[in-house]
Amino acid sequence: MNRYPQLRHELDELHRMGLTRSLRQTEYVAKSQGTWIVANGQKLLNLSSNNYLGLSYDPRILHSWEMASQAFGAGGTSSRLVVGNFSCYDHTEKMISRWKEREAALVFANGYMANLGCITALLDRHGAVYSDRLNHASIVDGTILSRADHYRYRHNDYEHLQYLLRKHKGNHRRNVIVTDTVFSMDGDKADVEELVRIKHDHGVFLMVDEAHAGGVYGKSGAGLCHQYGVHQEVDILMGTCSKALGLYGAYVCADQVVIDYLVHTCRPLIYSTSLPPALISAIGQSVAIVQQEDWRRKELYRKSKQFRMKLQQAGLLVPAGDSPIVPLLLGDNQTAIQYSKLLEQEGILAVAIRPPTVPENSARIRFSLMATHSDEDLAWATHKIIRTAIELGVIT
């Protein structure tokens, strides 16, 4: 009996277009630091994780989690504005603000809620968001929920951004430029120096999402804005704890007045139970490690550069760049799905990325490297990736 024929029809249509998805049950292989996983009983080299620095299994972080659980209990138990604001929150937020060299920081449940919360707190139907076309979905959704006018500029096209700012000048009470600094599906970067110049020229707010740059770029891993020395000029620096920090959660750094404003107006913060105190403590430990262990960034950069170069030399369509996100552009959805399946049969987990996550006709395999991948594993994987491309006729 089909109780929902319209839903079934829509699912069938997604299947026809090669856009269906499924949940994959995975387990980490012991002592591999997340570089190998087991899925459906098969051991696979993990080239799909955002655990860039390999910290998710670090014993120091796990110990911090365990100690905080014993001290504070398992859960947050309420909103931070009720009785969920444990002392470890204050400690960790001060660590993050010092790391980011800003007056204050505020921890959120995750990056989606941080972007959603900041945009909807800062803007209403009298405001405007100027957003890069390839920004993360959380930025798009936050803009929609804010009811602000939404102007999307062509990807990294700052002449187009300035055209839009001039065109709509004086029409809104508040204007905010929002961009990723490292784009999650392409691995390319925003020109943060140019964005700061535009922000000053037009007298608008600038908010950046450093989710895929935090821990990877800049002094002590503080992010791309730090690498270019413009972090003090950005109004809101958002980052996540779920990528290079190896955990879960997110944070926003800004002047104290901005953080105070968010505490009073940010609905995802006000109306959400606080994160478990053990997680907050573990985030603080991870931030300390990220700052101290520069070797992780150096290894990540070296391995990413070498991996990217080998694929390019084989003739695969891999854009230039220096991030650990290495997209192999294929275009066709079915080709991407088939490529991913063949790699899995060879022992490699590399997920096919398709619309709406990426634009139409730009399906790809998104490889994602970790500092803790061994050179031997990456050399083995590179050989398999190139051989599979030849089998599929992607290259000759």
Side-chain angles (χ1 to χ4, degrees), residues 152-164:
R152 301 176 72 193
Y153 60 91
R154 292 185 290 269
H155 178 51
N156 281 345
D157 185 339
Y158 303 117
E159 289 186 6
H160 187 216
L161 168 59
Q162 292 184 85
Y163 163 78
L164 292 172

Side-chain angles (χ1 to χ4, degrees), residues 80-99:
R80 289 185 68 183
L81 294 173
V82 185
V83 292
N85 192 43
F86 299 92
S87 58
C88 53
Y89 261 105
D90 183 61
H91 174 73
T92 294
E93 286 174 342
K94 285 180 178 176
M95 282 191 68
I96 293 172
S97 65
R98 288 194 296 268
W99 179 38

Side-chain angles (χ1 to χ4, degrees), residues 57 76 78 125 145 154 170 183 254 277 297 309 316 322-323 362:
Y57 261 63
S78 79
R125 61 189 179 89
L145 286 175
R154 292 185 290 269
F183 292 87
R297 276 178 291 285
M309 182 180 64
L316 290 166
D322 63 3
S323 83
S362 68

Side-chain angles (χ1 to χ4, degrees), residues 40 56 98 106 162 221 287 301 346 374 381:
N40 301 325
S56 66
R98 288 194 296 268
L106 192 62
Q162 292 184 85
V287 168
Y301 176 80
E346 294 286 351
S374 72

Side-chain angles (χ1 to χ4, degrees), residues 17-38:
M17 294 187 295
L19 295 176
T20 52
R21 289 159 168 77
S22 61
L23 296 173
R24 182 195 309 270
Q25 188 175 34
T26 58
E27 298 177 9
Y28 284 112
V29 175
K31 298 182 179 180
S32 77
Q33 301 182 73
T35 58
W36 287 86
I37 64 172
V38 173

Side-chain angles (χ1 to χ4, degrees), residues 2 25 38 47 71 102 114 161 239 267 277 293-294 306 334 336 388:
N2 184 5
Q25 188 175 34
V38 173
L47 291 180
R102 297 304 298 266
L161 168 59
R267 294 170 70 87
E293 298 187 353
D294 191 49
Q306 188 175 50
Q334 297 296 347
T388 302

Side-chain angles (χ1 to χ4, degrees), residues 156-335:
N156 281 345
D157 185 339
Y158 303 117
E159 289 186 6
H160 187 216
L161 168 59
Q162 292 184 85
Y163 163 78
L164 292 172
L165 285 164
R166 288 191 297 267
K167 180 179 179 181
H168 301 289
K169 183 177 181 180
N171 294 343
H172 304 90
R173 185 171 65 89
R174 183 174 293 150
N175 298 278
V176 182
I177 300 170
V178 188
T179 184
D180 292 352
T181 57
V182 173
F183 292 87
S184 60
M185 292 299 121
D186 291 83
D188 60 341
K189 298 177 289 189
D191 185 340
V192 291
E193 292 177 298
E194 179 65 6
L195 284 165
V196 165
R197 187 189 67 77
I198 292 170
K199 161 214 152 87
H200 287 306
D201 285 350
H202 293 268
V204 299
F205 273 66
L206 175 60
M207 174 179 170
V208 302
D209 180 336
E210 293 262 50
H212 293 273
V216 176
Y217 292 98
K219 177 185 175 184
S220 302
L224 194 69
C225 290
H226 281 72
Q227 180 160 307
Y228 289 95
V230 297
H231 52 285
Q232 297 286 359
E233 305 301 316
V234 176
D235 297 291
I236 295 179
L237 290 161
M238 193 285 284
T240 60
C241 310
S242 53
K243 313 298 190 297
L245 296 187
L247 287 156
Y248 183 75
Y251 55 84
V252 167
C253 295
D255 290 355
Q256 185 68 57
V257 64
V258 176
I259 298 301
D260 290 343
Y261 184 83
L262 292 175
V263 169
H264 285 82
T265 61
C266 184
R267 294 170 70 87
L269 177 77
I270 296 168
Y271 299 110
S272 293
T273 297
S274 66
L275 287 170
L279 172 58
I280 300 301
S281 180
I283 290 170
Q285 179 64 66
S286 184
V287 168
I289 295 170
V290 166
Q291 294 177 81
Q292 294 162 5
E293 298 187 353
D294 191 49
W295 67 265
R296 294 180 183 271
R297 276 178 291 285
K298 292 178 180 177
E299 280 294 284
L300 182 64
Y301 176 80
R302 180 182 67 81
K303 290 169 182 175
S304 300
K305 181 179 179 181
Q306 188 175 50
F307 181 82
R308 186 186 299 265
M309 182 180 64
K310 286 183 177 179
L311 297 187
Q312 290 171 332
Q313 288 174 344
L316 290 166
L317 187 53
V318 173
D322 63 3
S323 83
I325 300 167
V326 183
L328 167 53
L329 303 178
L330 298 164
D332 177 66
N333 295 338
Q334 297 296 347
T335 301

